[in-house]
Amino acid sequence: MSESYEFVVVANRLPVDEVVADDGGRTWARSPGGLVSALQPIVRRQGGAWVGWTGQPGEAPEPFDADGMHLHPVALSAQDVERYYEGQSNSTIWPLFHDAVEQPAHRRPWRHAYDAVNRRFAEAAAQLAAPGGTVWVHDYQLMLVPAMLRDLRPDLQIGFFLHIPFPPVELFMQLPRRAELLRGLLGADLVGFQRPLAAQNFLQLTARLLGLEPQDEHVEHEGRTVVARAFPISIDVGEVEELATDPEVQAEARRMRAELGGDRRLLLGVDRLDYTKGIEQRLEAYGELLADGTVSNDDVVLVQVATPSRMRVQEYQELRARVEREVGRINGEFGAVGQAPVHYLFQSMNRAELVALYLAADVMVITPLRDGMNLVAKEYVVARGDDRGALVLSEFAGAAAELETAFLVNPHDVEDLKRVITEALHADDGEQAGRMRPMRTQVQQNDIDKWARDFLETLDSTGSTKPD
Ligand code: ADP
Ligand code: G6P
């Protein structure tokens, strides 16, 4: 029998992404998104196997070891990518679970591909996990995996964590074959969510759809107890602090500020280019503040980093076009030679550059219409060990429940956005420190290691599923 692992993580993506150059050469880069930012340090420290996709269609590379992790690639054909990843995962489930801020699309072939690919992931995990081992399945792309895996390997402890919001019952009910998805999740011993409300939505759904009888945080299903609970995800505090106190990163922050115009206050946005992130609302508010003279191009500049994401999905292409048109309009109307009011970067960055930007920013503007957590918010407050800076944060980001002293805002209301951004720009040193300090302490005391420990210890104590 091939090597087996006590601890196996299963996620759509591996922590590294295969990058294919124009000349056909292949290299690896860090995968995008918060899931990888959060999980990578845990698996690296604890060891174990990671089952996931490389980000490229076609045959999977051979399994390999990197950074103390055993990486086990799962193959997705071009058709799987189109139907399972771009289709069912990112054009049906993603928008529906984010309050349907874009219209979810429903296609039968996508659902079949989703089933087939979930089965492939479940089979890979079943092969790799040691007898009685722990398998931790992640996110909306793989909601059928827990039940499939339990069928294959009833000896395992199975955890599932959803990184995105879980919708209210009425919205979930719109999904074709909704009961199958729910049964898929119920294959886990422990189902984790970002927010208590999400866990409640899930438990209510088990009653509504399957006639189960949830009690407190539990529900009995097929003779087992399934626990549903919130575990708000966090960041690798040590990594961000190390970068933020690195003299080279600090020098880079000073250089950035000087280049952007030493006296101008710096507003910063950092998001995957996704319609859930409220980038358009942010630009609209900023454009209006410039237009009505509340701020001017001489005293304020906005840096918007937009990480390329899911660029073959139509809604993302359309969003990119709209955002870039609006950036062009604002710069055209309010810019001057050599001085633009918006610096727009459509690119990935390395961690040091990103932290340098956090250090340079006077106001971090995070305005998602809906977001499971938002790790950028937590990274920003931890980076600001100097107690300076201000965080404008959407009430609709999971992070708002923990970062209570942020400048909270309703991003659906442009007037509110304008008011709160202005307030944040005017906060004096005392107010900045008074707000930043408790937020930083909150994240320091609840870092990613604590999150993983809480989840895995709860999973361990759930363990009612082991056969006699
Ligand atoms: P999501 O998971 O929806 O993308 P999060 O804010 O939770 O949103 O996580 C995003 C993660 O990606 C953070 O760890 C952030 O530092 C990282 N990130 C965001 N933009 C970039 C970028 N342009 N280059 C590199 N990393 C980025
Ligand atoms: C969010 C999702 C992750 C996903 C990431 C990047 O954080 O919760 O599951 O990996 O976005 O998106 P992508 O489609 O590029 O994997």
Side-chain angles (χ1 to χ4, degrees):
M1 192 180 142
S2 54
E3 211 170 342
S4 65
Y5 296 82
E6 291 296 329
F7 181 59
V8 179
V9 160
V10 186
N12 176 56
R13 277 193 184 273
L14 286 172
V16 285
D17 218 9
E18 200 174 15
V19 183
V20 183
D22 290 342
D23 64 3
R26 285 168 186 257
T27 50
W28 296 97
R30 177 191 170 110
S31 299
L35 180 150
V36 163
S37 295
L39 284 185
Q40 187 174 28
I42 294 167
V43 185
R44 206 192 265 150
R45 284 199 270 274
Q46 141 147 13
W50 186 319
V51 177
W53 173 50
T54 63
Q56 289 297 330
E59 273 178 35
E62 285 301 310
F64 59 102
D65 292 331
D67 266 353
M69 304 176 283
H70 177 74
L71 305 187
H72 187 97
V74 171
L76 295 190
S77 67
Q79 193 180 72
D80 292 332
V81 174
E82 193 189 319
R83 295 181 174 180
Y84 147 79
Y85 171 70
E86 292 162 357
Q88 186 67 9
S89 298
N90 287 313
S91 301
T92 306
I93 300 173
W94 176 271
L96 192 111
F97 279 35
H98 286 87
D99 283 355
V101 292
E102 281 283 346
Q103 183 67 30
H106 301 290
R107 307 260 189 288
R108 260 172 286 187
W110 293 356
R111 295 198 285 277
H112 295 146
Y114 187 87
D115 284 14
V117 172
N118 271 244
R119 187 160 301 284
R120 206 173 302 152
F121 275 82
E123 282 165 358
Q127 247 181 30
L128 279 174
T134 298
V135 177
W136 195 358
V137 184
H138 291 264
D139 230 358
Y140 62 99
Q141 303 93 340
L142 300 175
M143 292 195 291
L144 297 176
V145 169
M148 289 174 169
L149 185 56
R150 181 162 302 283
D151 277 350
L152 294 166
R153 290 287 305 272
D155 60 301
L156 298 174
Q157 271 194 327
I158 303 174
F160 180 91
F161 185 78
L162 185 70
H163 293 249
I164 69 174
F166 192 82
V169 172
E170 283 67 29
L171 258 180
F172 192 94
M173 295 299 278
Q174 292 180 8
L175 274 174
R177 296 209 327 217
R178 55 209 181 182
E180 270 169 58
L181 275 183
L182 187 58
R183 282 198 198 94
L185 293 175
L186 286 166
D189 299 299
L190 173 62
V191 187
F193 298 91
Q194 302 280 24
R195 306 270 294 109
L197 186 62
Q200 282 165 28
N201 288 344
F202 169 80
L203 289 167
Q204 273 174 23
L205 198 62
T206 64
R208 171 88 172 263
L209 257 183
L210 304 177
L212 305 185
E213 294 174 4
Q215 280 190 339
D216 305 325
E217 296 182 312
H218 316 110
V219 64
E220 300 292 320
H221 177 59
E222 296 180 343
R224 297 180 301 113
T225 302
V226 180
V227 177
R229 184 179 298 172
F231 298 88
I233 202 166
S234 193
I235 61 165
D236 186 349
V237 168
E239 184 226 23
V240 175
E241 283 179 343
E242 201 173 303
L243 285 169
T245 49
D246 180 333
E248 277 181 33
V249 175
Q250 294 179 344
E252 174 67 8
R254 284 193 295 275
R255 195 188 59 73
M256 284 172 171
R257 276 205 71 104
E259 274 183 13
L260 289 163
D263 296 335
R264 294 161 94 202
R265 326 261 353 254
L266 171 55
L267 298 168
L268 175 65
V270 175
D271 315 79
R272 262 182 321 99
L273 189 59
D274 194 295
Y275 50 77
T276 59
K277 299 288 183 182
I279 301 170
E280 291 180 278
Q281 286 72 6
R282 189 180 314 159
L283 287 173
E284 188 182 349
Y286 183 56
E288 287 193 16
L289 288 172
L290 285 162
D292 64 24
T294 310
V295 299
S296 92
N297 184 33
D298 286 332
D299 50 49
V300 172
V301 55
L302 168 66
V303 173
Q304 176 63 56
V305 181
T307 319
S309 184
R310 307 175 193 164
M311 283 316 298
R312 284 161 36 110
V313 177
Q314 192 185 338
E315 284 74 16
Y316 288 75
Q317 291 166 4
E318 289 170 0
L319 172 72
R320 180 182 179 190
R322 290 196 303 272
V323 164
E324 294 185 354
R325 197 163 48 234
E326 184 62 3
V327 169
R329 185 190 71 78
I330 295 174
N331 282 340
E333 266 182 52
F334 304 105
V337 175
Q339 183 162 290
V342 185
H343 285 253
Y344 170 75
L345 303 169
F346 178 64
Q347 54 195 255
S348 290
M349 292 188 157
N350 66 44
R351 306 290 294 160
E353 276 177 301
L354 210 53
V355 173
L357 268 175
Y358 294 155
L359 290 178
D362 295 293
V363 180
M364 182 90 215
V365 195
I366 299 182
T367 56
L369 304 173
R370 176 62 74 194
D371 206 335
M373 176 54 63
N374 198 290
L375 294 184
V376 168
K378 292 190 172 181
E379 290 170 358
Y380 178 67
V381 301
V382 166
R384 300 312 302 248
D386 59 356
D387 281 343
R388 299 299 307 277
L391 174 64
V392 171
L393 179 61
S394 163
E395 293 165 14
F396 298 95
E402 294 166 88
L403 305 181
E404 291 171 337
T405 52
F407 289 90
L408 294 175
V409 70
N410 173 8
H412 299 271
D413 179 350
V414 177
E415 283 304 320
D416 198 42
L417 268 174
K418 288 168 66 181
R419 186 182 57 76
V420 174
I421 290 172
T422 310
E423 213 183 306
L425 275 168
H426 287 114
D428 61 23
D429 294 2
E431 178 170 12
Q432 289 177 20
R435 287 173 178 267
M436 291 300 270
R437 231 177 262 144
M439 293 196 282
R440 197 170 67 245
T441 308
Q442 213 289 337
V443 183
Q444 282 166 336
Q445 290 174 351
N446 294 281
D447 71 353
I448 191 63
D449 291 320
K450 177 165 184 299
W451 172 79
R453 220 172 29 247
D454 285 352
F455 186 96
L456 292 171
E457 281 172 12
T458 309
L459 177 58
D460 215 28
S461 64
T462 308
S464 59
T465 57
K466 297 246 167 93
D468 298 328

